[in-house]
Amino acid sequence: MDSPRDTPRSLSESSPIDVLHVDDDPEFSTLVAAALEREREHITVHTETDPRVAVDRVRRDGPTFDCIVCDYDMPDLDGLDVLASVRAEYPELPVILFTANGSEEVASEAISAGVTDYLRKGDDTSQYQLLANRIENAVERYRASQSLTRGLTAIENATDAVCILGDDGTIEYANAACTALFGYEREELLGRHWEAFYPDDDVQTVSDSILPEARESRWSGQSSLVRKDGSLVDVDHTLTSTADGSLVWTLSRVSKRDRLETKLSRRERAIDEAPIGVVLTDPDQADNPIVYVNDEFTNITGYSRDETLGRNCRFLQGEATDEAAVNELRAAVDEREPVTTELLNYRKDGTEFWNRVRIAPIFDDDGSVDLFVGFQDDITPRKTYEELLQSNTARLEALFEHSPDLVIVHDDGGTIQDVNQRVCEELGYSEAELVGKTVWDLDPSSEPDRAREFWTELPTNKPHRFEGELEQRDGTTFPTEIHLIQLNVEGENMFVAMIRDISKQKEREAELVEQNERLDRFASVVSHDLRNPLQVAMGRLEMLQDDCDSDHLDDIDRALDRMDDLISDLLVLAHQGDDAMEVEPVGLADLARACWQNVVTDGATLTVETDAVVDADRDQLQQLLENLFRNAVEHSSDDGDGNGDVTVTISETDDGFAIEDDGPGIPEDDHDTVFEAGYTTSSEGTGFGLNIVSQVAAAHGWTVTVSEGAEGGARFDFRVD
């Protein structure tokens, strides 16, 4: 709790006053206390009847009292003795002699001893009003003196320099801080003109602009002033006018950080808008701490300015930070040299980021390092790309070297730049022998002029397929399939040829050609040499049926129909794949109904449970459906009743469609062989119907499986995705 003397007071506002009254008469002391406190509510009287106790109390509690009121004639110690004791401890504390036994001699002695006031006791109560006035006046002067003393002490001991300039511009007062700031003794400063502290180039500006503004009211700003040794010191200073025409000159040294902030105040916005992190560190402080960071630095690291300032930049480092890179930075800082390196650092949330750090010293006018500036770039995306590129490069090199294909890289002039090991193995050359050769040295089928024209028109990054030849060291050649792609590498066009030996493919193609020729010849025999006699036999049978009636005629008719079905299926097999497929969206429902009309169905029924559309060649899909419908009807007619009243259902599945009947079905043991040529369980079947279904499905890239239907018949599932 504050004591009364610790609280600022104003008597005009009836500030509390604590009075110690010393009088050996207890009754009179009580009367004085009551009278004073009645006269002034803000006066509190503390009473002591023993002067020695009073002196001890003053020594102990003196700062608590604002005034001492003391009798003169007292045993052991008189009023002047009390005055002397008080003055020894508190030279300015007000002491008023309030005594009945007084004389001019006592009054004179009291005044000489430094008593604040002297008042004789009277017989009426007006004396207490007078005493109260004397106490208030004494305390007011005392407090004013104390305030002035404290102010002067504060000015004298202030860390800022304070001078008073007279109206002629000379220093009339300078505190201790001035001597430290300018390097003069106090006696040297007094009487010195202000011009002595400004560089010659600034004197006129001060005289014409700064002083007139200061004399009007006040001026403040920054300047560089001249010290005794001729060096310059940067200061913030203020000039304030006083009533008597003097100027109060206050100055404070601008620290390095203050100078930095002043400079930054003009550029900070631009720096904060920079797309890279900017850091300033102070090598003159312990551990070279950060003194400034811009906004981008806080964005990169996740740390706020308050969390960053005052720390060494190493706080961003972590377990995986490369120590060699850190040592490189330290060495450059120690040598006061610029450096650039890349570090794996850590953000506030613990995540890693790659930091490209560029550090450079900033020198002051004396050539000493003032600060270090650091530029921080978050290069994590680039490093991630580089690591991915290195990984991909390693994989590509492995693919290049160990590819089963031959890989040749050549320029737009046809000169071979690189080959993989497979080329060397196949052609019988070393890599050194192949590099430098031309494409036409290895491919006798290529012509230089046509090749160059072809390469010129080849789009970049778009592979092109063609066939060629490669000649081995012994002069033998083999056919090749070439996939050529043009790449632009650092402004140069390079061509990568991926080459495959297609000797076996060519042999197979030759075999297929020969096989197709045989099939063509077979188809010609079937379509002409067999069908013509068959048609003659069928015609003769019709005429014979008109001429006679025999049970044998029906058997002959069925045999001829079977022969016609066999010829039709054989022709389908012979020509399967000859015509190019025209794949288009085909609606299953409509096509199934149309196919059902093309098949002799007797009493059979078609149920369509799908609206699916499949990509297919319409003619081949029609052949597939008709063969399955015919297969279902024919096999149901063999169940003994001969009526063929089977129900065939075509439905949609998750990955295609299915055709199912409720006829006798296919034995489970035959599920694996049902699609082989010649398989049939019907006396009317040709054995080629399901084989044709299998070939049509394969031509479309579909898979077909057979299983038992829900009603015991056969079910064919087609997967078309």
Side-chain angles (χ1 to χ4, degrees):
M1 181 175 178
D2 293 337
S3 70
R5 291 178 57 80
D6 294 330
T7 305
R9 301 167 181 172
S10 172
L11 295 181
S12 63
E13 297 176 357
S14 300
S15 299
I17 296 176
D18 285 270
V19 176
L20 177 61
H21 181 215
V22 185
D23 196 301
D24 59 340
D25 185 346
E27 292 184 2
F28 183 73
S29 296
T30 301
L31 175 61
V32 170
L36 285 176
E37 291 178 353
R38 185 176 66 246
E39 285 291 335
R40 301 289 192 271
E41 292 182 356
H42 60 283
I43 292 179
T44 301
V45 179
H46 306 268
T47 301
E48 282 292 346
T49 57
D50 186 339
R52 292 188 182 277
V53 174
V55 169
D56 290 340
R57 187 171 178 180
V58 170
R59 288 173 178 166
R60 184 181 71 250
D61 302 330
T64 303
F65 305 119
D66 298 295
C67 182
I68 309 295
V69 176
C70 184
D71 191 11
Y72 172 72
D73 189 8
M74 293 181 295
D76 296 328
L77 292 177
D78 62 21
L80 294 181
D81 292 330
V82 173
L83 172 63
S85 298
V86 171
R87 285 286 183 263
E89 296 292 333
Y90 304 103
E92 298 181 7
L93 184 63
V95 179
I96 299 175
L97 281 183
F98 186 44
T99 179
N101 297 323
S103 64
E104 293 298 330
E105 183 180 351
V106 172
S108 176
E109 185 178 358
I111 293 173
S112 298
V115 73
T116 305
D117 208 340
Y118 179 89
L119 181 64
R120 292 187 64 178
K121 299 176 182 178
D123 296 331
D124 54 49
T125 58
S126 62
Q127 64 180 325
Y128 301 115
Q129 183 178 8
L130 181 59
L131 178 59
N133 289 336
R134 298 284 181 92
I135 291 172
E136 285 182 334
N137 292 335
V139 171
E140 185 173 8
R141 290 193 299 270
Y142 170 62
R143 288 178 177 173
S145 175
Q146 287 293 98
S147 297
L148 178 60
T149 300
R150 286 195 295 269
L152 291 174
T153 302
I155 292 173
E156 183 62 28
N157 296 321
T159 56
D160 288 347
V162 179
C163 298
I164 296 179
L165 301 179
D167 56 7
D168 61 351
T170 60
I171 295 177
E172 295 179 347
Y173 167 81
N175 69 350
C178 278
T179 63
L181 180 67
F182 291 118
Y184 290 96
E185 296 295 333
R186 194 190 303 265
E187 292 75 13
E188 295 176 298
L189 286 172
L190 298 179
R192 191 173 292 272
H193 198 274
W194 63 262
E195 292 181 358
F197 303 101
Y198 282 92
D200 293 341
D201 293 342
D202 295 344
V203 170
Q204 194 63 42
T205 300
V206 174
S207 180
D208 293 345
S209 300
I210 295 178
L211 287 181
E213 183 177 342
R215 294 193 185 281
E216 285 292 327
S217 57
R218 184 175 179 273
W219 178 91
S220 63
Q222 282 193 358
S223 298
S224 294
L225 301 182
V226 181
R227 305 179 77 247
K228 181 178 179 180
D229 60 8
S231 63
L232 295 177
V233 57
D234 293 329
V235 295
D236 278 319
H237 64 112
T238 301
L239 286 165
T240 306
S241 62
T242 63
D244 63 359
S246 301
L247 291 175
V248 179
W249 193 18
T250 58
L251 311 98
S252 61
R253 187 188 296 266
V254 178
S255 66
K256 180 183 294 184
R257 177 166 178 167
D258 292 335
R259 294 198 308 273
L260 172 64
E261 290 179 350
T262 299
K263 293 176 183 177
L264 289 177
S265 65
R266 296 189 297 267
R267 305 171 186 172
E268 186 172 4
R269 180 175 299 178
I271 295 175
D272 275 339
E273 292 296 327
I276 60 174
V278 180
V279 176
L280 295 176
T281 64
D282 187 353
D284 291 337
Q285 298 186 45
D287 206 26
N288 193 22
I290 296 172
V291 295
Y292 170 81
V293 295
N294 72 339
D295 288 343
E296 184 61 20
F297 179 85
T298 65
N299 293 337
I300 292 173
T301 64
Y303 290 94
S304 67
R305 278 189 170 90
D306 291 341
E307 293 171 319
T308 301
L309 297 179
R311 304 176 70 177
N312 186 281
C313 290
R314 77 173 69 90
F315 79 94
L316 295 175
Q317 299 168 16
E319 181 180 356
T321 304
D322 184 15
E323 190 62 30
V326 174
N327 291 336
E328 182 182 5
L329 283 177
R330 290 174 181 165
V333 170
D334 291 342
E335 297 296 326
R336 304 300 199 251
E337 294 179 349
V339 64
T340 300
T341 190
E342 294 177 356
L343 290 173
L344 182 64
N345 281 339
Y346 293 81
R347 297 184 177 90
K348 182 180 179 179
D349 61 6
T351 57
E352 299 176 348
F353 73 100
W354 277 99
N355 194 0
R356 183 170 182 259
V357 182
R358 288 167 288 170
I359 295 178
I362 300 175
F363 297 95
D364 59 19
D365 295 338
D366 297 332
S368 301
V369 175
D370 191 26
L371 297 164
F372 275 97
V373 60
F375 299 98
Q376 319 264 334
D377 286 312
D378 183 356
I379 58 170
T380 304
R382 195 201 80 193
K383 293 294 288 189
T384 302
Y385 174 75
E386 288 178 354
E387 291 172 357
L388 178 63
L389 185 61
Q390 290 175 356
S391 175
N392 289 342
T393 300
R395 287 197 293 268
L396 289 173
E397 289 178 352
L399 288 172
F400 180 80
E401 286 299 331
H402 303 293
S403 171
D405 292 334
L406 290 74
V407 183
I408 295 176
V409 180
H410 65 83
D411 60 20
D412 53 9
T415 302
I416 296 173
Q417 305 294 317
D418 198 4
V419 296
N420 70 345
Q421 188 60 34
R422 183 76 172 148
V423 176
C424 300
E425 294 171 355
E426 288 295 322
L427 300 187
Y429 293 98
S430 67
E431 181 180 346
E433 290 174 319
L434 288 171
V435 173
K437 286 182 177 291
T438 62
V439 171
W440 32 89
D441 289 335
L442 302 181
D443 184 356
S445 66
S446 65
E447 298 179 7
D449 291 340
R450 291 183 60 188
R452 292 191 185 97
E453 182 180 355
F454 169 69
W455 296 335
T456 301
E457 297 175 355
L458 187 66
T460 303
N461 298 327
K462 186 176 181 180
H464 185 80
R465 178 190 173 279
F466 58 94
E467 294 183 0
E469 290 182 359
L470 281 181
E471 183 176 357
Q472 297 172 308
R473 191 182 192 109
D474 60 7
T476 59
T477 62
F478 59 88
T480 62
E481 179 184 80
I482 303 168
H483 292 265
L484 184 67
I485 185 170
Q486 180 185 182
L487 303 175
N488 189 279
V489 182
E490 296 180 352
E492 295 186 18
N493 291 328
M494 303 297 292
F495 297 86
V496 180
M498 289 163 282
I499 306 169
R500 183 166 296 177
D501 183 350
I502 56 173
S503 299
K504 292 182 179 180
Q505 177 182 329
K506 289 296 184 182
E507 292 173 1
R508 176 62 179 159
E509 288 178 356
E511 292 175 0
L512 289 175
V513 169
E514 183 179 352
Q515 179 180 346
N516 287 336
E517 290 175 351
R518 290 197 303 269
L519 287 173
D520 286 341
R521 289 194 297 271
F522 172 74
S524 176
V525 170
V526 169
S527 63
H528 184 269
D529 295 349
L530 292 182
R531 191 176 288 277
N532 283 349
L534 179 61
Q535 289 175 346
V536 171
M538 294 176 71
R540 292 291 184 180
L541 179 61
E542 287 184 15
M543 289 186 288
L544 183 61
Q545 289 173 334
D546 292 338
D547 294 341
C548 65
D549 184 15
S550 172
D551 294 337
H552 298 293
L553 294 177
D554 291 337
D555 293 335
I556 295 172
D557 187 33
R558 283 194 296 273
L560 291 176
D561 285 341
R562 175 169 172 74
M563 290 178 65
D564 187 55
D565 290 342
L566 281 169
I567 292 172
S568 297
D569 285 348
L570 286 172
L571 286 174
V572 170
L573 289 173
H575 291 291
Q576 188 71 43
D578 283 1
D579 299 327
M581 294 175 60
E582 295 183 5
V583 177
E584 59 182 339
V586 178
L588 277 176
D590 292 341
L591 184 61
R593 293 187 181 96
C595 292
W596 189 257
Q597 300 300 320
N598 297 334
V599 177
V600 178
T601 57
D602 296 331
T605 302
L606 174 68
T607 300
V608 178
E609 298 179 350
T610 178
D611 292 324
V613 175
V614 297
D615 292 329
D617 181 279
R618 176 178 289 273
D619 293 338
Q620 291 197 28
L621 181 57
Q622 178 177 337
Q623 183 73 47
L624 180 150
L625 294 176
E626 289 180 358
N627 278 18
L628 285 176
F629 293 163
R630 188 180 298 112
N631 182 75
V633 173
E634 289 176 353
H635 285 79
S636 68
S637 299
D638 293 340
D639 61 2
D641 58 15
N643 59 14
D645 57 349
V646 65
T647 297
V648 180
T649 302
I650 179 169
S651 60
E652 187 175 346
T653 64
D654 292 340
D655 49 20
F657 63 94
I659 298 175
E660 181 179 349
D661 63 62
D662 57 1
I666 299 172
E668 185 175 357
D669 292 342
D670 294 345
H671 286 182
D672 293 335
T673 59
V674 68
F675 295 112
E676 294 179 0
Y679 174 87
T680 183
T681 59
S682 171
S683 59
E684 302 296 329
T686 65
F688 296 110
L690 293 182
N691 181 253
I692 292 172
V693 168
S694 174
Q695 291 195 34
V696 170
H700 284 80
W702 303 343
T703 57
V704 57
T705 56
V706 63
S707 61
E708 184 178 345
E711 302 295 331
R715 177 183 173 93
F716 295 87
D717 281 275
F718 294 86
R719 180 173 180 173
V720 302
D721 59 353

